């Protein structure tokens, strides 16, 4: 039987692949056979990721980008296509959060979160999606969040929640618009994932830790590999009938 999840010969671009969930996505897609473009704001972690992927026997390339800046994303696409013939898989992973009461949120903070989490996803979908459309094939996976479905507790994070809800609708809209043109667009919505950063935050906030864990039916946080494997499925031909959909990977959180 043909292995539909084999990514040999494919090129995947992952934004924010320097650390956390993006780094794991890069690793898992590389394990499945893909060459990896690391598109990062942080060149130090980006370089480290590229070295790791090369160590796995795949090709890997580092490009600098600020996804919030459409000119930077345009320049990224131009540079990528100068060096490589095609990008088969785009994973829009780069994102930021912020905890602040809504009534105290300044313009800059609202714009920062929307700029990276929503505008950034759209700029990348537009620049790389248009080239995928010309080619008649491609798979885009956006990293949304369960926060696009529910309101988290106890931390206030209205801009984040709104940005992720918008990513889910952006995914549906593009999924439908591009469905007959060979480009699939899906999203993955993680619940709480124990990245190094999240572990550090929870060590300082035992109340959050207890709340997050007790509100997750499986009783613990997820691992970065849980998200990366969902991305792998959606990116691959195994998901050829899936487009415009959002895959929740949240330990049951949103089902309660
Ligand atoms: N960690 C969780 O529990 C969790 C849960 C749900 C969704 N998510 C989402 O998963 C994604 C990754 O989260 P993470 O926890 O790994 O975060 P992280 O902060 O550990 O990593 C984010 C990466 O994105 C890069 N980045 C940030 N701003 C950028 C920009 N403007 N341009 C290019 N790169 C930029 C950073 O350099 C970093 O490498 C985000 O979209 C986040 O919202 C995370």
């Amino acid at each position: 039987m043909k292995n539909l999840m084999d990514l040999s010969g494919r090129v995947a671009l992952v934004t924010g692949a320097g650390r956390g969930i993006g780094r794991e996505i890069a690793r898992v897609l590389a394990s499945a056979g893909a060459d990896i473009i690391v598109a990062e704001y942080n060149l130090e972690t980006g370089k480290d990721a590229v070295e790791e992927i090369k160590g796995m026997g795949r090709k890997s390339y580092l490009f600098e980008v600020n996804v919030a800046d459409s000119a930077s994303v345009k320049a990224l696409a131009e540079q990528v296509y100068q060096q490589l013939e095609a990008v088969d898989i785009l994973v829009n992973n780069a994102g930021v959060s912020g905890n602040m009461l809504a009534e105290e949120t300044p313009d800059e903070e609202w714009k920062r979160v929307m700029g990276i989490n929503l505008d950034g996803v759209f700029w990348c979908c537009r620049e790389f999606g248009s080239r995928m459309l010309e080619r008649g094939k491609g798979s885009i996976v956006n990293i949304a969040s369960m926060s696009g479905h529910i309101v988290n507790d106890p931390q206030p994070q209205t801009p984040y929640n709104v940005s992720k809800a918008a990513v889910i609708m952006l995914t549906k809209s593009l999924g439908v618009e591009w469905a007959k043109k060979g480009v699939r667009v899906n999203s993955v919505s993680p619940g709480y994932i124990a990245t190094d950063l999240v572990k550090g935050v929870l060590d300082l906030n035992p109340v959050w830790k207890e709340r997050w864990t007790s509100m997750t039916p499986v009783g613990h946080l997820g691992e970065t590999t849980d998200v990366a494997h969902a991305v792998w499925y959606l990116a691959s031909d195994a998901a050829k009938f899936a487009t415009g959909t959002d895959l929740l990977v949240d330990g049951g959180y949103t089902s309660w």
Side-chain angles (χ1 to χ4, degrees), residues 19-221:
R19 73 173 191 199
I21 292 172
R23 179 74 166 256
E24 197 71 68
I25 292 169
R27 239 177 240 135
V28 166
L29 299 186
S31 306
D35 292 333
I36 306 291
I37 300 169
V38 173
E40 250 297 350
Y41 192 63
N42 184 331
L43 290 181
E44 227 167 277
T45 57
K47 194 163 171 271
D48 200 52
V50 164
E51 290 312 315
E52 185 185 349
I53 302 300
K54 283 183 178 168
M56 295 170 69
R58 305 280 170 249
K59 290 185 187 146
S60 189
Y61 314 84
L62 175 62
F63 291 91
E64 187 174 12
V65 70
N66 173 8
V67 296
D69 176 2
S70 67
S72 173
V73 174
K74 218 177 198 6
L76 167 73
E78 278 162 13
Q79 287 161 26
V80 164
Y81 285 97
Q82 266 167 21
Q83 216 172 311
L84 290 142
E85 211 172 292
V87 173
D88 301 283
I89 296 161
L90 166 67
V91 183
N92 286 306
N93 161 80
V96 287
S97 60
N99 303 129
M100 203 177 276
L101 294 169
E103 66 274 27
E104 292 173 5
T105 301
D107 294 15
E108 299 69 38
E109 175 60 6
W110 177 269
K111 287 181 185 163
R112 181 184 77 91
V113 175
M114 290 298 162
I116 298 171
N117 292 7
L118 176 59
D119 298 352
V121 174
F122 181 66
W123 308 144
C124 290
C125 285
R126 189 182 60 189
E127 294 307 323
F128 290 93
S130 57
R131 272 116 167 155
M132 288 176 174
L133 290 169
E134 280 167 18
R135 214 175 149 226
K137 62 176 174 180
S139 177
I140 299 177
V141 184
N142 298 322
I143 305 303
S145 172
M146 71 172 178
S147 310
H149 295 265
I150 51 91
V151 175
N152 303 66
D153 186 76
Q155 73 279 22
Q157 48 178 45
T158 291
Y160 183 80
N161 299 343
V162 173
S163 72
K164 293 298 186 178
V167 166
I168 294 166
M169 182 45 85
L170 172 62
T171 301
K172 283 190 197 183
S173 303
L174 297 180
V176 169
E177 209 172 312
W178 296 346
K180 288 200 174 67
K181 299 177 179 172
V183 179
R184 295 186 299 104
V185 189
N186 293 290
S187 58
V188 172
S189 278
Y192 291 120
I193 304 300
T195 59
D196 291 341
L197 203 74
V198 165
K199 281 189 226 159
V201 169
L202 291 188
D203 285 344
L204 297 172
N205 291 282
V207 174
W208 288 20
K209 190 174 187 173
E210 194 287 319
R211 191 85 180 124
W212 290 13
T213 310
S214 65
M215 286 184 78
T216 303
V218 298
H220 58 81
L221 271 54

